Amino acid sequence: MDLSGKHLVLGLTGGIACYKAAELCRALIREGATVQVVMTAAAEQFITPVTMQALSNRPVFTSQWDARDVNNMPHINLGREADAILIAPCSADFMARLVQGAADDLLSLMCLARPIAKVPLLLAPAMNREMWAHPATQRNLAQLRRDGTAILGVANGDQACGETGDGRMLEPADLVQDVIAFFRPKLLAGHQVLVTAGPTYEAIDPVRGITNLSSGKMGFAVARAAQEAGARVTLVAGPVSLATPRGVSRIDVRSAQDMYAATLEHVAGASIFIATAAVADWRPANAAEHKIKKDGSGASPQLRFIENPDILAAVAGLDRAKSGELLCVGFAAESQDLLANAQAKRIRKNIPLLVGNIGPAAFGKDDNALLLVTADGVRELERASKLELARELIAACAKFERANARHSGVPA
Ligand code: C5P
């Protein structure tokens, strides 16, 4: 429930994407928010206030002349109560009206009358691709950004009009992630974070290989938490079937050697490297070019292995890491003696922060428990969702960065 205690005004303007606003309303409420719906007259052409009232469990406001509030000023009252106003869908016309400071219907009036420093305005535009690309719309977008409005972006794909391109409203699940991220403290603003995640796959032949039970969930949660904290995030992911966290740039790899190459290619601008991947320690020395066949004799193939490069050790050995400009964080998945093993691994890997967890209790699960081991001691993070733990880990990294003032140009 990442939006507990948050009160949102959800504004609907005219567009076919209004049908997605119903699902969005439910999804925001599922995350713990209370949602007050305000609709323009055009939005009412696409979806009824009855639907939105039933889903939000609150009467919907549609007119500045609505006399239900005792002071007869819904445009003041609604904005004052909100932690944020989210307009989804936001039409091209409504964007133009916001730029102009128009105030001739309840929603635009409320946006203009809101305490601008206290009640942020978030827009999820939705329109035909030509309307989106039009210089007038792009000019309005730039002006809205200058006015401090958060533009959540648009999706690319099939449009209701039959055309294909940019301008679709983002899916409700994406918008919810964006709203949650919007409220998170920006502890890593200005930072670039590189994360490895998931297992690796080491080929035996074209159809078989060796891998492990890592699901990638912890690493994906770390990438999401870093992005929510305001960092630019690159995620090097082994073979997993997880959705990429919003705003994260993802590079898919298969083998440890691929992961090694991708990591070293992208580490240049990073200030933090978090190695959550469960990298295979060995790979078959020579992967067969064709499928290895049974020959009927009962003999099994004799596999020889060679050791994979240690990605974390290689990154921790870079001059930038040694001089403290690049914070390296490792993970240790143990099956016993977690504390002793994690402490020993931190020293062996020569890194400032090592995160210990019990592999069998972590792999594939949605929750986990962590030990944060530094030179100063150990902090235990009790069992919680991987996202909550990832947020704690990111806060610990931010603290590390502040304490060491590692970075020129990055706010300490
Ligand atoms: O040595 P061990 O595999 O237990 O160390 C685990 C840590 O090292 C993890 O952070 C993992 O991502 C990283 N690692 C790596 N490359 C390897 C092996 C482990 O980056 N080849």
Side-chain angles (χ1 to χ4, degrees):
M1 299 267 274
D2 283 327
L3 293 174
S4 289
K6 297 287 183 221
H7 180 64
L8 302 174
V9 169
L10 175 60
L12 275 62
T13 69
I16 187 63
C18 276
Y19 82 91
K20 292 191 206 169
E23 184 55 40
L24 174 62
C25 178
R26 297 191 73 185
L28 292 168
I29 290 170
R30 226 179 284 130
E31 287 293 343
T34 49
V35 177
Q36 173 62 59
V37 176
V38 177
M39 296 171 66
T40 64
E44 286 186 74
Q45 296 291 322
F46 293 91
I47 189 169
T48 67
V50 174
T51 299
M52 297 310 293
Q53 175 170 353
L55 294 176
S56 64
N57 208 23
R58 282 168 177 259
V60 170
F61 282 79
T62 57
S63 160
Q64 71 267 48
W65 311 120
D66 192 318
R68 279 176 293 176
D69 284 5
V70 282
N71 63 358
N72 212 316
M73 296 187 199
H75 66 291
I76 300 290
N77 306 336
L78 294 170
R80 297 294 180 282
E81 290 159 2
D83 291 300
I85 299 171
L86 167 63
I87 316 265
C90 185
S91 65
D93 176 68
F94 198 76
M95 278 171 39
R97 283 153 30 76
L98 285 172
V99 167
Q100 293 301 318
D104 57 353
D105 82 325
L106 176 60
L107 191 58
S108 56
L109 185 53
M110 185 193 62
C111 290
L112 194 68
R114 80 190 201 279
I116 198 163
K118 268 179 43 198
V119 183
L121 178 60
L122 289 71
L123 306 185
M127 65 199 72
N128 164 269
R129 67 190 173 115
E130 300 289 358
M131 293 168 73
W132 175 252
H134 196 284
T137 303
Q138 293 301 315
R139 222 170 28 241
N140 287 338
L141 267 177
Q143 184 58 50
L144 284 164
R145 285 202 178 95
R146 278 195 290 277
D147 291 346
T149 310
I151 312 291
L152 303 181
V154 292
N156 179 284
D158 294 343
Q159 305 200 311
C161 51
E163 298 179 5
T164 304
D166 283 340
R168 281 169 60 96
M169 190 170 89
L170 291 169
E171 294 306 318
D174 292 336
L175 288 173
V176 171
Q177 258 195 56
D178 285 354
V179 173
I180 291 170
F182 182 84
F183 285 115
R184 302 290 310 165
K186 301 297 169 227
L187 299 174
L188 290 182
H191 281 269
Q192 271 190 55
V193 178
L194 180 62
V195 182
T196 64
T200 63
Y201 176 93
E202 311 300 329
I204 294 173
D205 66 21
V207 295
R208 304 187 186 90
I210 295 172
T211 185
N212 60 61
L213 290 174
S214 167
S215 61
K217 286 180 183 172
M218 191 69 230
F220 275 58
V222 167
R224 175 173 168 180
Q227 197 275 340
E228 286 178 346
R232 279 206 286 140
V233 183
T234 303
L235 172 63
V236 180
V240 294
S241 53
L242 295 175
T244 310
R246 291 275 300 150
V248 166
S249 141
R250 171 175 178 172
I251 299 155
D252 284 321
V253 296
R254 205 154 88 137
S255 68
Q257 286 174 299
D258 296 342
M259 188 175 273
Y260 178 83
T263 303
L264 287 175
E265 190 186 329
H266 288 88
V267 76
S271 48
I272 303 177
F273 173 58
I274 307 179
T276 64
V279 185
D281 289 318
W282 301 279
R283 65 178 181 277
N286 294 304
E289 195 182 337
H290 296 289
K291 186 180 172 192
I292 302 170
K293 298 280 201 190
K294 283 191 285 193
D295 63 7
S297 71
S300 49
Q302 299 299 305
L303 293 180
R304 271 196 319 109
F305 289 91
I306 52 176
E307 199 171 320
N308 272 324
D310 189 317
I311 304 166
L312 178 57
V315 173
L318 297 174
D319 286 346
R320 291 178 49 236
K322 284 193 272 189
S323 68
E325 254 181 83
L326 173 64
L327 170 64
C328 289
V329 181
F331 268 68
E334 305 293 342
S335 60
Q336 58 176 349
D337 295 336
L338 182 57
L339 178 58
N341 278 320
Q343 282 171 324
K345 192 161 289 182
R346 190 192 75 78
I347 291 163
R348 196 167 66 245
K349 298 249 175 189
N350 196 18
I351 51 174
L353 176 55
L354 190 289
V355 184
N357 58 176
I358 295 288
F363 278 13
K365 304 230 165 29
D366 289 326
D367 57 8
N368 197 0
L370 302 180
L371 275 190
L372 305 192
V373 181
T374 65
D376 296 333
V378 177
R379 201 174 130 212
E380 200 173 332
L381 301 183
E382 283 179 12
R383 189 154 277 280
S385 77
K386 287 184 172 171
L387 183 56
E388 278 173 68
L389 294 171
R391 286 173 177 155
E392 295 254 17
L393 173 60
I394 289 301
C397 291
K399 208 167 146 196
F400 235 95
E401 289 288 283
R402 280 196 305 275
N404 294 294
R406 291 191 133 74
H407 240 67
S408 53
V410 168

